[in-house]
Amino acid sequence: MSRFTRLALMTAAGVAVGAAFAQPYNAQADMLQKIGAGEGEVAIIAWTGYIEDGSNDKSYDWVTGFEKATGCKVSVKIAGTSDEMVSLMNAGGYDLVTASGDATMRLIRGGTVQEINTALVPNYSTIDPRLQNAPWHTVDGKHYGASYQWGPNVLMYNTAAFKEAPKSWDVVFKETTLADGKSNKGRVEAYGGPIYIADAALFLMKHNPELGITDPYYLDEKQFAAAVDLLKGQRQLVAKYWTDAAAQIDEFKNEGIVAATSWPYQVNTIQADKESKIKVGSTVPDEGSTGWSDTTMMASSAPHPNCAYLWLNHSLEPATQAGVASWFGSVPSVPAACKGQAILGDEGCKGNGSELFDKIHFWKTPIKDCGSGKTCVDYKTWTEAFNGIQSGQ
């Protein structure tokens, strides 16, 4: 199955879960009141690079020690988009998921994840106070997960095509001649998920203020239409839509891509490859950026809840947080991980964008009833529109 066929199936699944988002909460599982004996395993859905066991690089391993200490064998299913995560969680069989904000409320409202007992997660109190009660995982004072990592969606660029870091996202939205004397047409990549519409809306917030966009995820019909039109125009520049981080790395190295929305993970990987002839940089342009604050959430029907709680606490250990941040290029949700951890270094958090928190518009699920009497376009419509953009309709 091709990557694009798989993406079509994932976004189709997103339509179904988008519809479920509008429904009342389903019955939630009873919270565990005491951690008992581990069940011997824990199954996690995660973004690439989030759960490393040393097999990619022996210096990056926050799994082996956990397995030895708890007897809980960790298995990981890598997902490429939030829609894929929602679909996998809805199918069942997993304990935990490292969900971004554009998936968390769908999982909560669909009854797919359960409230966690923070008393069983001693390290919960060490989470950045800005994230302990974040609206993408807290409902009516109830916590449906523990913050894991966060960061911006960055503009990755080929340094041969750009003599200096681009100051605007217009290099991926509008045709322009680059420093290498060539057009950017056919040399741009865009993220292959419906939430990418928010990137267009963020660009319009600054460049078309008459639209009155104040939140790139809560768009009325006129604002939404403008964002979709921008992406339809961008379609003429886009060589590919990416959802696979490894594939994007390969496409920058071998297929002539010079500018794209990306994650720090891809940037770090290419920069660390001493044999790569392609050199890249990254930046957050003047318009700011969308971004992700990921939450480890527990399935309502988690088959291994005791091991899941043990992992939740382990995921918040400073050493674990620092390891993830160093490998992925993210920012720890636990500030203590930013100091005294050799693997990250005392300046690692700043280098990964810790100072950008207030400039990031974190992913969240578009909903119809978006507050202040405003009616917004819901996620189901975002999904349908983005499918049309990708297919050139």
Side-chain angles (χ1 to χ4, degrees):
M1 181 185 296
S2 74
R3 182 162 63 95
F4 294 103
T5 300
R6 178 167 58 86
L7 177 61
L9 291 173
M10 289 189 294
T11 51
V15 173
V17 296
F21 182 80
Q23 303 303 316
Y25 298 0
N26 292 333
Q28 298 288 337
D30 291 335
M31 286 193 303
L32 209 64
Q33 298 302 313
K34 181 180 180 181
I35 297 178
E39 299 86 357
E41 59 183 300
V42 58
I44 308 172
I45 301 168
W47 295 107
T48 186
Y50 263 16
I51 313 291
E52 291 293 316
D53 63 1
S55 57
N56 288 312
D57 185 325
K58 63 181 181 181
S59 298
Y60 293 89
D61 182 359
W62 43 94
V63 170
T64 303
F66 169 80
E67 292 179 332
K68 290 180 178 178
T70 65
C72 301
K73 179 71 175 177
V74 177
S75 63
V76 183
K77 170 66 176 177
I78 300 301
T81 68
S82 290
D83 286 348
E84 185 178 9
M85 287 186 171
V86 172
S87 181
L88 287 167
M89 285 293 284
N90 285 341
Y94 296 96
D95 297 291
L96 300 167
V97 59
T98 60
S100 295
D102 60 327
T104 53
M105 279 297 162
R106 285 185 276 164
L107 293 168
I108 293 170
R109 297 212 175 209
T112 308
V113 295
Q114 61 176 281
E115 178 187 359
I116 65 166
N117 185 347
T118 58
L120 301 183
V121 187
N123 286 333
Y124 197 92
S125 63
T126 68
I127 294 174
D128 187 327
R130 296 174 298 183
L131 297 171
Q132 288 192 25
N133 299 292
W136 45 86
H137 64 69
T138 306
V139 179
D140 297 331
K142 298 178 179 179
H143 301 291
Y144 289 85
S147 290
Y148 191 47
Q149 299 276 304
W150 63 270
N153 292 319
V154 299
L155 172 54
M156 180 164 65
Y157 60 93
N158 182 315
T159 57
F162 295 88
K163 297 304 182 185
E164 60 182 23
K167 293 180 171 57
S168 173
W169 286 102
D170 60 5
V171 297
V172 300
F173 287 122
K174 298 180 179 180
E175 185 172 5
T176 185
T177 300
L178 305 180
D180 62 2
K182 302 177 183 178
S183 168
N184 61 343
K185 188 173 184 178
R187 306 167 74 195
V188 169
E189 273 192 332
Y191 185 62
I195 205 65
Y196 185 63
I197 293 173
D199 289 63
L202 180 63
F203 181 80
L204 293 172
M205 280 176 65
K206 180 170 183 178
H207 296 277
N208 294 74
E210 70 278 4
L211 289 169
I213 299 173
T214 57
D215 187 321
Y217 304 98
Y218 292 165
L219 307 174
D220 62 26
E221 291 186 4
K222 182 179 179 180
Q223 295 165 344
F224 181 77
V228 169
D229 284 345
L230 180 60
L231 293 184
K232 286 181 176 179
Q234 183 201 40
R235 184 69 182 86
Q236 308 308 310
L237 308 178
V238 171
K240 291 185 176 180
Y241 291 90
W242 72 272
T243 59
D244 185 322
Q248 189 186 43
I249 290 168
D250 182 70
E251 287 150 9
F252 256 79
K253 288 182 177 180
N254 303 308
E255 297 187 23
I257 302 300
V258 298
T261 300
S262 189
W263 298 331
Y265 173 80
Q266 290 94 300
V267 178
N268 290 350
T269 301
I270 296 175
Q271 290 179 339
D273 184 355
K274 304 303 182 183
E275 297 181 0
S276 176
K277 296 179 180 179
I278 300 299
K279 306 301 179 185
V280 300
S282 69
T283 187
V284 172
D286 292 345
E287 297 91 353
S289 76
T290 57
W292 30 270
S293 179
D294 296 338
T295 303
T296 306
M297 311 183 86
M298 186 184 302
S300 293
S301 55
H304 316 106
N306 293 290
C307 282
Y309 266 101
L310 292 172
W311 178 268
L312 274 173
N313 197 58
H314 174 73
S315 74
L316 299 174
E317 289 289 339
T320 302
Q321 288 275 304
V324 180
S326 177
W327 179 259
F328 193 83
S330 50
V331 182
S333 68
V334 175
C338 294
K339 298 291 182 182
Q341 300 293 325
I343 198 168
L344 182 60
D346 288 349
E347 295 300 316
C349 288
K350 184 176 180 180
N352 290 354
S354 60
E355 75 284 1
L356 297 172
F357 190 91
D358 293 330
K359 296 182 179 180
I360 299 172
H361 295 264
F362 290 105
W363 281 351
K364 59 185 177 184
T365 304
I367 57 176
K368 185 176 181 180
D369 183 9
C370 54
S372 301
K374 182 178 180 180
T375 300
C376 295
V377 178
D378 63 15
Y379 189 72
K380 178 177 182 292
T381 305
W382 280 51
T383 302
E384 293 169 346
F386 193 74
N387 284 342
I389 292 166
Q390 285 188 288
S391 63
Q393 296 178 356

